[in-house]
């Protein structure tokens, strides 16, 4: 993954100060097992060329393939193409230029327009070449698109499906980079992190001075925010003003992830037996940390196969450790696919937005382990309601590229009943999020309650 910035004309050497990078030094940093490198290939009075590379660590990816990615089990092209992941890794390297905060003596150059050319790729996008050109043209860019040549040993094809994009125009370095950081995830139509109100704040910051007047503003917002609720809120924010506290409160209350956690927490509070809880696929600990404040809970086991996510979770727990009445979750590096004696006979097992990341043919074995071997008193499962995707007006088949399936309400109900083949559990179905008259709620939930309880 690479981004090359070229500039021509007078005073272009100032770019090194705007980037806060020494043209005589090789910049190299490691971010989440990826290497970010930068070097100047040209640096003269009238021409500057600097390239940023992001390269995955293949040894780390290979070493962790069987364990780290077991539940969310994938290594896909997101690691190797220009996407939101690429922008995340580059953000620290380009922070000075993005924020427009060079040394004081060069601050007046932040608003100086240069003849700039930005080249980036490879890009994996469903948009046509013309669609991509139409996104950059309103900002005054000339766009060139090329496909990478492939040297196969077998005669498959001569060109890659990935494309390389070059946009060229008269602009400031800060404006050009901010536009790229908004549009690259739009082109790729994928974000590897949860999209929440912080995304709106980032769009406002990076989109200042160009996004509001862009003829495809609505398309950009839909692609950047992905879901209708947040898209509607950013429209309201434009009308009310971005600093309106009431609107910010509204954003927070409408976050689907928060609603899931709230529903799970409320349900657990109503269950009389909740001494021990297992949070499968606990990720970075966002749910587990909230479980730690439920009165009556004596043990929380946060099970996650990813070591990096587990480290982030531990940091999250440590921040809460001093708060009153907080129970520190116990982090377990583990997987649904392997039996763990420590997880037997617990009160509650939670699978929050986990099953849809697993191939359907592997689910029966997992459920057999949970229901027949672990034998918890309660199992709580949440998963997307496929019918509700019509409300989001999605072009994609699934809400997330890593989802292996998404079920309708009837399909989910039927699957849960099949898993309960021994009839040991009473099943209760519920919904989470704003309910649509025809399509139900965005998230569906099933509560398995052991009959002996």
């Amino acid at each position: 993954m690479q981004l090359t910035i070229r500039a021509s004309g007078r005073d272009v050497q100032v770019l090194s100060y705007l980037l806060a990078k020494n043209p005589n030094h090789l910049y190299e940093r490691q971010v989440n097992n990826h290497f970010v490198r930068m070097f100047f290939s040209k640096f003269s009075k009238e021409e500057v060329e600097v390239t940023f590379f992001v390269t995955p660590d293949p040894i780390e990816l290979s070493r962790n393939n069987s364990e780290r990615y077991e539940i969310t089990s994938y290594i896909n092209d997101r690691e190797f193409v220009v996407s939101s992941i690429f922008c995340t890794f580059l953000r620290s390297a380009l922070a000075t230029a993005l924020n427009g905060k060079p040394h004081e003596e060069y601050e007046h150059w932040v608003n100086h327009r240069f003849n700039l050319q930005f080249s980036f790729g490879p890009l994996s996008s469903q948009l046509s070449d013309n669609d991509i050109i139409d996104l950059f043209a309103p900002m005054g860019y000339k766009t060139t698109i090329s496909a990478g040549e492939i040297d196969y040993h077998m005669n498959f094809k001569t060109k890659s499906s990935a494309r390389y994009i070059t946009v060229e125009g008269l602009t400031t370095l800060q404006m050009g980079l901010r536009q790229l950081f908004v549009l690259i995830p739009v082109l790729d139509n994928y974000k590897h992190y949860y999209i929440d109100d912080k995304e709106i704040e980032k769009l406002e910051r990076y989109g200042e001075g160009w996004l509001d007047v862009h003829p495809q503003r609505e398309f950009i917002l839909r692609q950047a925010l992905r879901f209708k609720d947040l898209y509607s809120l950013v429209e309201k924010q434009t009308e009310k003003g971005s600093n309106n506290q009431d609107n910010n409160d509204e954003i927070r209350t409408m976050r689907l992830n928060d609603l899931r956690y709230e529903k799970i927490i409320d349900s657990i509070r109503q269950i009389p037996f909740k001494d021990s809880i297992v949070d499968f696929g606990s990720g970075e600990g966002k749910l587990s940390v909230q479980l730690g404040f439920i009165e009556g809970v004596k043990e929380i086991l946060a099970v996650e196969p990813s070591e990096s996510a587990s480290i982030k979770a531990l940091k999250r727990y440590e921040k809460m450790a001093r708060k009153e009445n907080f129970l520190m979750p116990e982090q377990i590096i583990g997987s649904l696919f392997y039996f763990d004696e420590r997880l037997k006979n617990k009160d509650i097992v939670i699978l929050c937005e986990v099953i849809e990341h697993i191939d359907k043919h592997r689910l029966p074995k997992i459920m057999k382990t949970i229901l027949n071997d672990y034998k918890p008193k309660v199992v709580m499962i949440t998963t997307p309601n496929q019918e509700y995707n019509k409300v989001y007006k999605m072009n994609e088949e699934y809400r997330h590229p890593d989802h292996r399936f998404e079920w309708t309400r009837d399909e989910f109900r039927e699957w849960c009943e099949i898993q309960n083949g021994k009839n040991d559990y009473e099943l209760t179905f519920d919904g989470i999020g704003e309910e649509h008259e025809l399509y139900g709620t965005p998230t569906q939930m099933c509560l398995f309650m052991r009959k002996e309880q």
Side-chain angles (χ1 to χ4, degrees):
M1 298 177 282
Q2 71 178 62
L3 166 67
T4 297
I5 305 171
R6 300 180 182 90
S8 59
R10 295 178 56 187
D11 303 313
V12 290
Q13 290 182 328
V14 172
L15 290 177
S16 66
Y17 295 99
L18 298 180
L19 290 166
K21 299 291 182 289
N22 189 325
N24 298 313
H25 293 166
L26 173 67
Y27 174 92
E28 183 175 281
R29 297 290 186 277
Q30 191 171 14
V31 183
N32 293 344
N33 297 318
H34 287 59
F35 286 97
V36 178
R37 297 180 174 93
M38 177 231 70
F39 68 91
F40 283 81
S41 54
K42 296 179 182 178
F43 194 76
S44 66
K45 290 183 178 180
E46 294 191 350
E47 188 175 16
V48 166
E49 181 175 290
V50 57
T51 298
F52 292 83
F53 285 98
V54 176
T55 55
D57 179 353
I59 296 176
E60 184 69 21
L61 291 176
S62 174
R63 179 187 299 129
N64 288 321
N65 182 30
S66 61
E67 297 177 1
R68 179 176 177 182
Y69 295 96
E70 190 58 82
I71 285 180
T72 60
S73 124
Y74 69 102
I75 297 180
N76 56 30
D77 65 348
R78 303 305 96 197
E79 298 280 359
F80 301 94
V81 297
V82 169
S83 65
S84 62
I85 298 176
F86 176 71
C87 293
T88 298
F89 292 144
L90 270 192
R91 188 167 287 118
S92 60
L94 292 170
T96 300
L98 282 167
N99 297 326
K101 298 293 184 183
H103 287 302
E104 185 176 352
E105 59 185 302
Y106 295 100
E107 285 183 353
H108 66 281
W109 288 99
V110 170
N111 296 319
H112 181 81
R113 296 197 298 172
F114 298 90
N115 287 311
L116 288 173
Q117 186 183 93
F118 300 94
S119 300
F120 57 92
L123 174 75
S124 175
S125 178
Q126 295 180 352
L127 298 182
S128 68
D129 287 358
N130 287 335
D131 290 334
I132 295 173
I133 291 170
D134 289 343
L135 277 177
F136 286 99
M139 298 175 292
Y141 290 113
K142 175 186 175 183
T143 304
T144 305
I145 302 173
S146 62
E149 298 295 328
I150 300 177
D151 184 16
Y152 283 126
H153 294 292
M154 293 167 284
N155 187 24
F156 288 143
K157 56 182 180 178
T158 58
K159 286 190 176 181
S160 167
S161 59
R163 285 169 285 179
Y164 294 82
I165 315 297
T166 298
V167 296
E168 185 175 0
L170 187 66
T171 185
T172 69
L173 178 63
Q174 182 187 37
M175 179 65 77
L177 289 174
R178 288 187 167 191
Q179 289 166 340
L180 289 183
F181 270 61
V182 170
L183 292 180
I184 283 175
V186 169
L187 295 172
D188 186 62
N189 195 25
Y190 168 85
K191 287 194 177 178
H192 68 291
Y193 48 83
Y194 182 72
I195 301 172
D196 58 13
D197 48 299
K198 292 180 181 178
E199 285 297 287
I200 296 178
E201 296 170 4
K202 188 170 71 178
L203 274 175
E204 287 181 336
R205 186 168 70 253
Y206 288 175
E208 184 179 359
W210 67 275
L211 185 53
D212 283 344
V213 297
H214 197 292
Q216 295 197 55
R217 174 180 177 274
E218 291 187 9
F219 171 76
I220 293 170
L221 291 177
R222 279 200 304 271
Q223 296 287 95
L225 301 176
R226 292 183 63 83
F227 298 126
K228 180 182 175 184
D229 291 345
L230 280 172
Y231 171 66
S232 300
L233 286 167
V234 80
E235 292 294 315
K236 292 179 183 179
Q237 222 169 346
T238 301
E239 296 171 6
K240 294 181 179 181
S242 60
N243 294 323
N244 187 295
Q245 184 61 43
D246 292 337
N247 195 52
N248 289 337
D249 291 340
E250 185 180 9
I251 292 171
R252 281 191 287 272
T253 60
M254 292 189 68
R255 284 180 57 190
L256 182 55
N257 222 28
D258 287 343
L259 292 176
R260 289 192 197 105
Y261 296 161
E262 182 181 326
K263 182 73 172 183
I264 290 170
I265 299 300
D266 288 345
S267 298
I268 292 174
R269 285 189 173 126
Q270 296 175 36
I271 297 173
F273 35 84
K274 47 179 172 284
D275 285 2
S276 54
I277 301 176
V278 178
D279 181 13
F280 271 116
S282 56
E284 297 177 7
K286 294 179 181 179
L287 174 58
S288 293
V289 79
Q290 295 192 38
L291 297 174
F293 288 101
I294 300 178
E295 186 177 354
V297 176
K298 299 177 181 178
E299 179 187 45
I300 302 167
L301 302 179
V303 183
E304 168 60 38
S306 167
E307 183 179 354
S308 61
S310 297
I311 291 171
K312 291 179 181 178
L314 287 171
K315 292 179 180 178
R316 189 183 301 274
Y317 305 152
E318 288 168 0
K319 287 181 181 179
M320 296 293 173
R322 297 180 182 177
K323 291 193 177 284
E324 189 176 357
N325 300 322
F326 176 70
L327 175 67
M328 177 77 78
E330 179 184 346
Q331 193 70 43
I332 294 178
I333 303 293
S335 167
L336 281 162
F337 297 100
Y338 306 108
F339 179 79
D340 190 329
E341 188 75 25
R342 293 172 292 180
L343 307 180
K344 287 183 63 175
N345 301 318
K346 302 302 180 182
D347 288 320
I348 300 172
V349 164
I350 302 170
L351 290 91
C352 178
E353 306 300 288
V354 169
I355 63 171
E356 64 273 10
H357 292 270
I358 302 170
D359 293 325
K360 282 191 283 189
H361 71 273
R362 305 182 79 181
L363 289 176
K365 180 180 178 182
I366 290 170
M367 291 303 295
K368 182 180 178 181
T369 300
I370 292 174
L371 299 178
N372 297 345
D373 298 332
Y374 291 153
K375 295 182 179 180
K377 296 175 182 176
V378 176
V379 178
M380 305 177 70
I381 301 176
T382 74
T383 192
N385 168 20
Q386 186 267 336
E387 297 165 82
Y388 202 87
N389 293 350
K390 294 179 180 178
V391 180
Y392 291 140
K393 297 180 180 179
M394 293 168 46
N395 295 322
E396 306 87 351
E397 183 180 6
Y398 300 138
R399 295 184 201 175
H400 190 285
D402 188 45
H403 286 184
R404 309 310 168 92
F405 62 87
E406 288 174 6
W407 279 325
T408 65
R409 286 167 288 176
D410 286 343
E411 289 171 334
F412 180 54
R413 179 181 291 271
E414 180 182 2
W415 177 81
C416 290
E417 290 171 350
I418 290 173
Q419 307 316 305
N420 189 33
K422 290 186 176 182
N423 204 30
D424 291 334
Y425 290 82
E426 290 283 353
L427 306 187
T428 304
F429 294 88
D430 207 342
I432 302 172
E434 184 178 356
E435 186 168 6
H436 187 277
E437 182 179 358
L438 296 177
Y439 305 124
T441 57
T443 296
Q444 48 191 336
M445 182 173 81
C446 182
L447 195 70
F448 290 68
M449 183 85 68
R450 279 193 82 87
K451 291 182 177 180
E452 64 191 46
Q453 306 307 322

